[in-house]
């Protein structure tokens, strides 16, 4: 008597960043035969050159910023001279040591992720993967003899998580020494004397904030009227005020035409003919998906005009058994979204229960000082009539915990559906706003009303109390 055994579903993932990593773990959990191909190291750009390094740098900048802030709370820092009299100490940042720690943490995180994949039975291949039709992945790996070996992997489901790379302008080519992308900053051995940041989006604002607080002179070149175009206007205004008070020069409505090296620095030429000289220049002008040359068109995978992979709400592409997650797809370029896409893709492919991604519920955070966290509908959408809602804002300086901490810049803003009081969004500007936004994210996800949020007990005193204060102020009279 012959027995037939059901073959394990074969899942192959190209890219080991947040999306690919979560897809691999989810597929292994569901019993698939899983292979992941990554050319730069498990963790991808998010861990190696982007999210983990940049947020570690920002944490150092926050620590440096806390020293002068503590003085305002009555803390004194001094050393004693030979005469025994107190002298003010000099606070300095050892950027070489900072960057060594940053790269070490990123490497350790990548190694931890690789170990977790191996522990779950995932086969990890170091190499460059590309499609050969809709059911095969070809992997090129450097051989020990200096040549290249090719492996072919047959797959029932393929997940593309190849990420994106910094966009480069032909008139401002990065050289890794003076003209830099955000992936190249961690080779610097000392703080730039004068860093010019081109681009005032999230990446530009975060690095401008970090280096300003580390003690570098910073000039921010913004092509728009305000920093962080597209973000909450009140939040962007506060951040720009913080920047200018901290000594940063913000050049609004200024577009950089070119960046060239000089004998001892860089020269940035603006579109109106003005020039700005500095020691270094960071180009933060967006990113491009790593979708070229991996066989997408030949396999029938549809792309947007900008080269991103078109996906639906379960991360499926135009080819039924091929999915895409992360910055290479045409969805929000956030690590949290990439992770959710990776899980959703595998759950859908393997027939498990799946909730299509609802972008309206995605929480995002800008890691400036202070941070800016958002979720749900925006004030602009409410004012334009796209969403029907009421708006209430609690200034942070009225919060008792904020007063104790000496915090003056920031607010909690809550948006609730007109009539029902259902929470539809919010903005928090504060230290650790990334942590404070979570109750609002839960409220939006589970459609809680402002009264239900207000009934939760917030610790007194706490910054989270500002959330319940805003909810209580929006009470719906029964």
């Amino acid at each position: 008597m012959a027995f037939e055994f059901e073959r394990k579903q074969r899942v192959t993932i190209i890219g080991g960043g947040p999306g690919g990593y979560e897809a691999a773990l989810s597929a292994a959990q569901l019993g698939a035969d899983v292979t992941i191909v990554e050319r730069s190291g498990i963790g991808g750009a998010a861990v190696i050159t982007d999210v983990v390094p940049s947020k570690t740098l920002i944490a150092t900048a926050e620590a440096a910023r806390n020293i002068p802030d503590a003085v305002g709370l009555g803390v004194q820092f001094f050393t004693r001279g030979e005469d025994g009299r107190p002298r003010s100490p000099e606070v300095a940042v050892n950027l070489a040591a900072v960057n060594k720690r940053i790269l070490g943490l990123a490497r350790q995180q990548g190694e931890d992720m690789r170990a977790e994949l191996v522990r779950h039975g995932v086969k990890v291949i170091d190499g460059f993967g590309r499609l050969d039709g809709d059911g095969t992945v070809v992997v090129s790996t450097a051989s020990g003899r200096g040549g290249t070996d090719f492996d072919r992997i047959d797959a029932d489901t393929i997940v593309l998580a190849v990420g994106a790379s910094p966009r480069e302008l032909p008139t401002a080519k990065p050289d890794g020494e003076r003209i830099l992308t955000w992936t190249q900053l961690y080779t610097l051995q000392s703080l730039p004397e004068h860093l010019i940041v081109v681009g005032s989006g999230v990446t530009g604002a975060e690095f401008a904030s970090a280096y300003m607080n580390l003690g570098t002179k910073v000039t921010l070149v913004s092509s728009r009227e305000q920093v962080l175009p597209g973000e909450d206007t009140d939040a962007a205004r506060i951040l720009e005020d913080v920047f200018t008070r901290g000594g940063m020069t913000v050049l609004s409505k200024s577009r950089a035409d070119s960046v060239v090296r000089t004998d001892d620095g860089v020269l940035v030429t603006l579109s109106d003919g003005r020039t700005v000289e500095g020691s270094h220049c960071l180009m933060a002008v967006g990113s491009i998906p790593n979708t070229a040359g991996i066989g997408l068109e030949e396999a029938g995978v549809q792309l947007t005009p900008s080269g991103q992979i078109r996906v639906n709400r379960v991360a499926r592409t135009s080819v039924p058994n091929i999915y895409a997650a992360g910055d290479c797809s045409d969805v929000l370029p956030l690590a949290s979204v990439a992770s959710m896409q990776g899980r959703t893709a595998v759950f859908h492919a393997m027939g498990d229960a799946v909730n299509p991604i609802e972008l309206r519920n995605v929480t995002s955070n800008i890691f400036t000082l202070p941070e800016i966290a958002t979720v749900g509908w925006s004030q602009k959408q409410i004012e334009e009539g796209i969403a029907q809602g009421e708006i209430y804002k609690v200034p942070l300086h009225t919060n008792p915990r904020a007063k104790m901490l000496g915090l003056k810049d920031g607010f909690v803003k809550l948006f609730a559906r007109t009539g029902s009081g259902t929470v539809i969004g919010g903005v928090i500007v504060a230290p650790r706003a990334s942590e404070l936004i979570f109750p609002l994210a839960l409220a939006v996800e589970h459609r809680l009303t402002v009264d239900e949020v207000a009934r939760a007990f917030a610790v007194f005193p706490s910054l989270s109390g500002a959330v319940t204060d805003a909810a209580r102020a929006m009470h719906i009279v029964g």
Side-chain angles (χ1 to χ4, degrees):
M1 181 177 180
F3 292 93
E4 292 185 5
F5 294 93
E6 184 178 353
R7 176 177 55 79
K8 280 187 175 183
Q9 184 168 161
R10 300 164 301 179
V11 177
T12 298
I13 300 146
I14 304 178
Y21 175 75
E22 290 291 342
L25 288 182
S26 298
Q29 183 181 26
L30 295 178
D33 182 0
V34 189
T35 301
I36 188 167
V37 181
E38 168 57 48
R39 61 179 176 174
S40 302
I42 296 300
V47 168
I48 299 170
T49 59
D50 194 352
V51 181
V52 170
S54 66
K55 279 40 175 184
T56 306
L57 177 73
I58 290 165
T60 303
E62 184 176 8
R65 179 66 212 168
N66 287 339
I67 296 174
D69 284 348
V71 173
L73 302 181
V75 178
Q76 294 183 338
F77 296 89
F78 63 87
T79 58
R80 293 192 182 276
E82 294 180 358
D83 58 1
R85 303 183 67 177
R87 295 179 180 178
S88 297
E90 180 180 348
V91 178
V93 173
N94 182 341
L95 192 64
V98 171
N99 283 338
K100 181 180 179 180
R101 175 176 180 266
I102 287 172
L103 296 176
L105 286 174
R107 182 172 58 253
Q108 184 60 58
Q109 179 66 22
E111 291 172 357
D112 290 347
M113 293 172 70
R114 175 185 284 267
E116 186 71 2
L117 291 173
V118 172
R119 189 173 74 83
H120 281 80
V122 176
K123 182 180 180 181
V124 180
I125 299 178
D126 299 315
F128 178 84
R130 59 179 175 83
L131 300 178
D132 186 8
D134 60 4
T136 302
V137 172
V138 176
V139 182
S140 56
T141 57
S143 69
R145 298 177 301 278
T148 301
D149 295 328
F150 292 90
D151 293 328
R152 297 179 65 85
I153 305 170
D154 293 325
D156 303 303
T157 298
I158 297 172
V159 180
L160 304 169
V162 294
S165 300
R167 179 169 169 251
E168 298 182 5
L169 303 181
T171 56
K173 296 291 289 184
D175 59 14
E177 296 177 352
R178 294 286 182 173
I179 306 173
L180 306 155
T181 69
W182 62 81
T183 68
Q184 299 169 329
L185 287 167
Y186 310 108
T187 60
L188 295 178
Q189 296 300 297
S190 59
L191 283 175
E193 180 182 341
H194 179 189
L195 178 66
I196 303 171
V197 180
V198 177
S200 63
V202 173
T203 301
E206 286 185 346
F207 279 110
S209 175
Y211 275 94
M212 180 187 76
N213 287 293
L214 289 170
T216 291
K217 178 182 178 181
V218 177
T219 296
L220 181 60
V221 179
S222 172
S223 63
R224 309 295 282 274
E225 191 167 343
Q226 68 172 33
V227 300
L228 297 175
E231 297 296 329
D232 182 87
T233 302
D234 291 340
R237 186 180 298 115
I238 283 181
L239 188 62
E240 193 161 330
D241 287 345
V242 170
F243 282 176
T244 54
R245 287 205 313 268
M248 186 186 303
T249 301
V250 180
L251 302 178
S252 302
K253 293 189 286 188
S254 301
R255 187 177 297 276
D257 268 1
S258 67
V259 182
V260 296
R261 285 189 64 158
T262 61
D263 291 340
D264 57 355
V266 293
L267 177 69
V268 179
T269 302
L270 306 180
S271 56
D272 61 6
R274 289 179 295 162
T275 59
V276 186
E277 292 187 72
S279 62
H280 298 75
C281 180
L282 169 63
M283 298 300 298
V285 290
S287 59
I288 56 173
N290 298 325
T291 53
I294 60 172
L296 299 181
E297 295 89 344
E298 295 82 353
V301 177
Q302 292 183 2
L303 302 175
T304 67
S306 59
Q308 296 168 312
I309 301 171
R310 295 188 186 275
V311 295
N312 61 15
R313 291 177 60 200
V314 295
R316 199 179 202 177
T317 72
S318 54
V319 179
N321 68 313
I322 298 178
Y323 296 76
D327 292 6
C328 65
S329 72
D330 62 344
V331 185
L332 290 175
L334 298 172
S336 58
V337 173
S339 297
M340 186 67 76
Q341 283 182 296
R343 291 191 295 270
T344 301
V346 167
F347 291 161
H348 183 266
M350 298 188 67
D352 198 19
V354 61
N355 291 319
I357 295 173
E358 178 55 70
L359 293 180
R360 187 60 55 199
N361 298 349
V362 172
T363 303
S364 63
N365 190 73
I366 301 170
F367 289 85
T368 47
L369 300 176
E371 295 179 1
I372 300 172
T374 59
V375 66
W377 295 97
S378 68
Q379 180 169 338
K380 181 179 179 182
Q381 290 169 320
I382 292 172
E383 291 173 344
E384 292 176 347
I386 298 173
Q388 302 300 314
E390 307 297 328
I391 303 167
Y392 193 84
K393 182 169 75 171
V394 176
L396 198 63
H397 66 80
T398 65
N399 176 274
R401 180 66 171 167
K403 291 176 182 176
M404 297 170 192
L405 296 171
L407 305 177
K408 297 180 175 63
D409 299 303
F411 59 79
V412 170
K413 189 186 292 186
L414 196 57
F415 310 137
R417 183 79 65 190
T418 303
S420 68
T422 302
V423 178
I424 62 172
V427 181
I428 297 180
V429 180
R432 300 292 194 275
S434 50
E435 310 292 346
L436 293 172
I437 196 68
F438 189 62
L440 292 186
L442 286 174
V444 171
E445 176 70 31
H446 297 288
R447 301 181 181 180
L448 303 181
T449 67
V450 289
D451 287 338
E452 289 171 325
V453 172
R455 281 200 293 270
F457 285 90
V459 171
F460 180 86
S462 68
L463 296 182
S464 60
V467 174
T468 53
D469 287 345
R472 185 167 56 252
M474 302 180 80
H475 169 63
I476 303 299
V477 179

